[in-house]
Amino acid sequence: MGELTISQPKAPYSIREESLGTAKHVRIVGIGAGASGINMIRTLRRNMVNYEHVIYEKNEKVGGTWFENRYPGCRCDVPSHNYQFSWRPNPEWSNFFAPAPEIEDYLNRICEEEHMMDTIKTRHQVVGAWWDEARGLWDLCVRNLETGEQFRDQANFLVDASGILNNWKWPDIPNIKSFQGELVHTANWPKDFDYTNKTVAIIGNGSSGIQLLPTIQPDVKKLYHFVRTPTWIIPPRIVSMVVMGGPAKDILSQVEFDEKENFTQRQMERFKTDPAFYRKFIKTIERDSNGAFALVLNGGAAQAFATSKVVQYMTATLGGDERLCKALIPKFPLGCRRITPAPGYLEALRAPNTEVITEGIAGIVPEGIQLESGEIIKLDAIICATGFDNSFAPRFPIVGRYGNVQDTMKTETPKGYMSCALAGVPNYFTFLGPNGPIGHGSVFTLSEHIARYITRVIVKCQTEGIKAIVPSDAAVADYSQHIAAFMPRTAWASSCKSWFKGGKEDGPVTALHPGSRVHFFHMLERFRGEDWEYVYDNPAQNRFWYLGNGFSNRELDPEVDGTWYLEDEADRL
């Protein structure tokens, strides 16, 4: 993909008759009202003036992943008191890992109490976006899903918070729609689906499959679990934190849980009435979680120690069953696939009504699943816990300077700039794009850092007379080169079928950041202006037009301290 030079005709230069720091009016359109979109509303409100902001959300309610995923047992796999916004702590989480309905309620409550619903248009779906170079605007086509009507909108900036793990797909199994029983996907769980006393198959042992199985196993008549690839199942997280001897070890001994990791009522009350302890608890668990990156570095002591402990745990919990251990304990390194806690999963596999099947599926037949051996497993229901389309290809056309991003993402290795922007796509920003830190802990905190970064860029454009901004092809190529060179150091790049590599067994790691969680935060602290290309508002294309009439708005605004430079903090970089 070659670099496109945007030639602008030069015109006579004239002074901008406004003070330095004056912000031009901009319109920002967001896509998606999950955690990232919701946080973006707050970040813009706190840091910008003279702007419009609207978010188009395809669902009837906000919440994104936590609205869409309703399967039994669904919960976050990040400690709940760290799976929240830093600016909106919730001392009332019921469990160390919050159930999905609580997270959805948390997000809904924020939108209501922060009066965000005026910004969000639910049941509206962006179906196309085209960059207009001459105007420096995005032309958008939006569909009202209530009426079916389509209408046009436009934006100076397009912020894509639609997420990577929400475009679910059926597994690629022949004749899957021929099944005459109930066919269900975990990401599209029917509210009225009753699995009680039925013969059920669960296909897949990723995060959703291993949460679902122990939840429904006691109630079904017979459960067949189809496992194609082994996966690492770590001990309960609280036990793991204690065994690994990290920062959380001591503070966890001061917290009251029951055997299912539910906080006691007395503990929740202490979180509310002892803010110093609650703050210490949050920060300590966060620091412990941040240390997980060492586990995926190949050949490290932390990885070796953790692997030995997980093998011991899985072997013991499976009762030493040779067949199950061979089917479920991986040979690939710990971390090659997503590491997931799964309380009760291994135990449920040993239940009398559960059968693990590792033989390949030949296809679906009306009465059930046909194995490669020819045997037919007769079923009442098939539940697909088979994940999402992780290709980074947008669901709708996004046409920038080089054409449709859909085509690029499908035919080339996905590349981006610090996961937030794409080459050749001006004034477009994304949360958790290619090589974003999606596997690096709480998305809530990640979204706060990404939102601040995006907002800094937009404010720069607002106050420095920039019409269009885009990362240079050279910067994106250099960043991608670094990623390709770094990833072989990690278990992520090892040979195993993983959505980290776009669902492939071998290939480039496209879904994860090349470093730790703190490394990502540190990287985003400073805007590297040298990595970007600019088109300016003024006809002369003079980059200093924004300096204006010689005055600064810091001396003209009576609410601004015009002698800020005399304060003690002024000498801090």
Side-chain angles (χ1 to χ4, degrees):
M1 185 166 62
E3 187 163 342
L4 181 67
T5 301
I6 305 299
S7 60
Q8 295 287 337
K10 293 286 185 178
Y13 180 72
S14 60
I15 297 294
R16 177 192 186 204
E17 294 300 340
E18 291 179 295
S19 58
L20 174 63
T22 300
K24 68 178 179 180
H25 182 79
V26 296
R27 178 171 172 80
I28 303 163
V29 169
I31 304 172
S36 297
I38 289 168
N39 183 74
M40 192 71 194
I41 296 174
R42 182 179 185 270
T43 304
L44 293 175
R45 285 179 177 177
R46 287 173 61 86
N47 294 283
M48 286 188 63
V49 297
N50 200 20
Y51 73 100
E52 298 173 66
H53 184 209
V54 62
I55 290 178
Y56 293 116
E57 166 57 55
K58 62 181 171 59
N59 294 321
E60 59 263 33
K61 292 179 66 179
V62 303
T65 292
W66 300 108
F67 170 78
E68 294 176 352
N69 284 273
R70 302 170 176 273
Y71 62 85
C74 182
R75 61 182 59 238
C76 68
D77 57 6
V78 173
S80 52
H81 290 279
N82 299 84
Y83 201 77
Q84 60 185 4
F85 294 123
S86 64
W87 47 271
R88 189 63 179 243
N90 175 30
E92 298 183 329
W93 296 116
S94 66
N95 190 279
F96 195 69
F97 294 104
E102 286 188 33
I103 303 171
E104 182 190 3
D105 181 65
Y106 170 78
L107 292 169
N108 274 296
R109 198 163 63 246
I110 288 173
C111 287
E112 292 167 8
E113 295 176 2
E114 299 279 340
H115 307 291
M116 293 181 172
M117 293 310 298
D118 289 345
T119 300
I120 301 167
K121 292 187 180 296
T122 56
R123 299 292 290 156
H124 282 73
Q125 186 174 31
V126 176
V127 295
W130 299 267
W131 173 250
D132 187 313
E133 192 69 54
R135 293 156 58 226
L137 292 172
W138 281 101
D139 287 316
L140 308 172
C141 182
V142 184
R143 179 181 294 125
N144 182 329
L145 297 177
E146 293 284 353
T147 65
E149 174 194 7
Q150 292 190 2
F151 61 91
R152 295 287 177 171
D153 197 357
Q154 63 181 31
N156 299 92
F157 298 94
L158 187 59
V159 180
D160 190 344
S162 57
I164 178 177
L165 299 179
N166 76 346
N167 190 11
W168 65 271
K169 63 177 182 178
W170 294 112
D172 187 17
I173 300 174
N175 305 314
I176 190 166
K177 294 298 180 68
S178 69
F179 181 55
Q180 292 181 350
E182 294 179 274
L183 181 65
V184 173
H185 196 289
T186 50
N188 192 35
W189 192 269
K191 293 180 181 179
D192 58 352
F193 174 50
D194 183 9
Y195 47 82
T196 307
N197 295 321
K198 292 182 178 177
T199 300
V200 176
I202 296 178
I203 302 175
N205 62 336
S207 298
S208 55
I210 64 179
Q211 288 184 339
L212 173 69
L213 189 143
T215 307
I216 71 169
Q217 173 268 320
D219 299 320
V220 301
K221 178 181 178 181
K222 177 71 175 181
L223 196 158
Y224 294 95
H225 186 33
F226 287 82
V227 174
R228 181 175 54 183
T229 307
T231 193
W232 291 106
I233 304 296
I234 64 173
R237 185 64 63 87
I238 294 172
V239 173
S240 298
M241 287 178 163
V242 172
V243 169
M244 293 300 290
K249 181 178 180 180
D250 291 336
I251 201 163
L252 285 172
S253 67
Q254 304 172 48
V255 177
E256 296 179 353
F257 310 90
D258 67 14
E259 68 280 359
K260 293 185 177 180
E261 299 182 338
N262 294 306
F263 295 106
T264 65
Q265 198 61 43
R266 183 168 66 177
Q267 184 59 59
M268 287 190 280
E269 192 61 31
R270 185 183 180 190
F271 283 152
K272 286 190 279 188
T273 59
D274 189 346
F277 177 78
Y278 183 51
R279 184 71 174 163
K280 180 181 178 182
F281 174 71
I282 291 173
K283 288 178 71 67
T284 304
I285 299 298
E286 179 82 3
R287 192 165 69 253
D288 195 291
S289 300
N290 285 346
F293 178 64
L295 300 181
V296 302
L297 293 177
N298 293 328
Q303 186 187 63
F305 178 76
T307 300
S308 68
K309 292 298 181 184
V310 175
V311 170
Q312 289 175 21
Y313 166 75
M314 292 186 69
T315 302
T317 310
L318 291 169
D321 185 300
E322 186 175 345
R323 177 179 171 272
L324 288 178
C325 288
K326 183 178 180 181
L328 295 165
I329 300 177
K331 301 297 183 185
F332 52 75
L334 185 69
C336 185
R337 296 181 73 190
R338 183 167 182 161
I339 301 172
T340 307
Y345 171 70
L346 297 178
E347 294 87 342
L349 297 183
R350 299 177 62 203
N353 66 335
T354 302
E355 183 176 340
V356 175
I357 297 179
T358 57
E359 184 179 340
I361 297 174
I364 304 297
V365 293
E367 62 268 38
I369 294 176
Q370 184 171 19
L371 305 180
E372 290 178 344
S373 63
E375 180 185 357
I376 293 176
I377 307 293
K378 295 184 178 181
L379 300 163
D380 299 313
I382 297 174
I383 302 172
C384 300
T386 47
F388 303 86
D389 178 354
N390 311 122
S391 66
F392 290 101
R395 295 193 196 184
F396 57 90
I398 298 178
V399 181
R401 290 176 178 169
Y402 303 143
N404 190 350
V405 173
Q406 290 177 310
D407 298 333
T408 304
M409 291 296 179
K410 289 176 181 177
T411 58
E412 301 178 12
T413 299
K415 298 180 179 68
Y417 178 81
M418 297 186 177
S419 84
C420 303
L422 303 177
V425 191
N427 294 17
Y428 171 84
F429 302 99
T430 181
F431 285 83
L432 303 171
N435 292 105
I438 186 64
H440 291 60
S442 172
V443 170
F444 283 78
T445 322
L446 290 165
S447 74
E448 293 180 46
H449 286 262
I450 297 168
R452 284 195 290 268
Y453 182 85
I454 293 170
T455 301
R456 282 196 294 270
V457 179
I458 296 176
V459 169
K460 177 182 176 68
C461 294
Q462 252 198 322
T463 56
E464 296 184 18
I466 298 169
K467 182 165 71 172
I469 188 168
V470 67
S472 70
D473 288 12
V476 173
D478 284 353
Y479 188 62
S480 299
Q481 183 183 47
H482 172 77
I483 292 168
F486 180 85
M487 285 302 180
R489 298 183 176 204
T490 71
W492 302 328
S494 301
S495 183
C496 73
K497 196 173 183 67
S498 167
W499 62 266
F500 297 163
K501 301 188 287 284
K504 299 175 182 176
E505 188 154 335
D506 295 290
V509 177
T510 57
L512 296 173
H513 171 72
S516 70
R517 179 173 163 85
V518 173
H519 181 273
F520 180 77
F521 294 159
H522 192 167
M523 180 184 74
L524 289 190
E525 279 184 355
R526 298 284 184 269
F527 174 74
R528 287 174 49 87
E530 63 269 36
D531 294 344
W532 297 74
E533 296 173 345
Y534 309 87
V535 176
Y536 296 97
D537 288 316
N538 69 97
Q541 289 299 295
N542 187 308
R543 72 193 67 201
F544 292 112
W545 182 70
Y546 76 97
L547 293 177
N549 62 11
F551 288 96
S552 166
N553 62 2
R554 293 185 179 181
E555 61 188 316
L556 300 177
D557 188 341
E559 296 184 5
V560 173
D561 180 3
T563 58
W564 79 95
Y565 48 85
L566 299 179
E567 299 298 324
D568 290 341
E569 294 296 311
D571 64 347
R572 291 188 180 273
L573 298 179

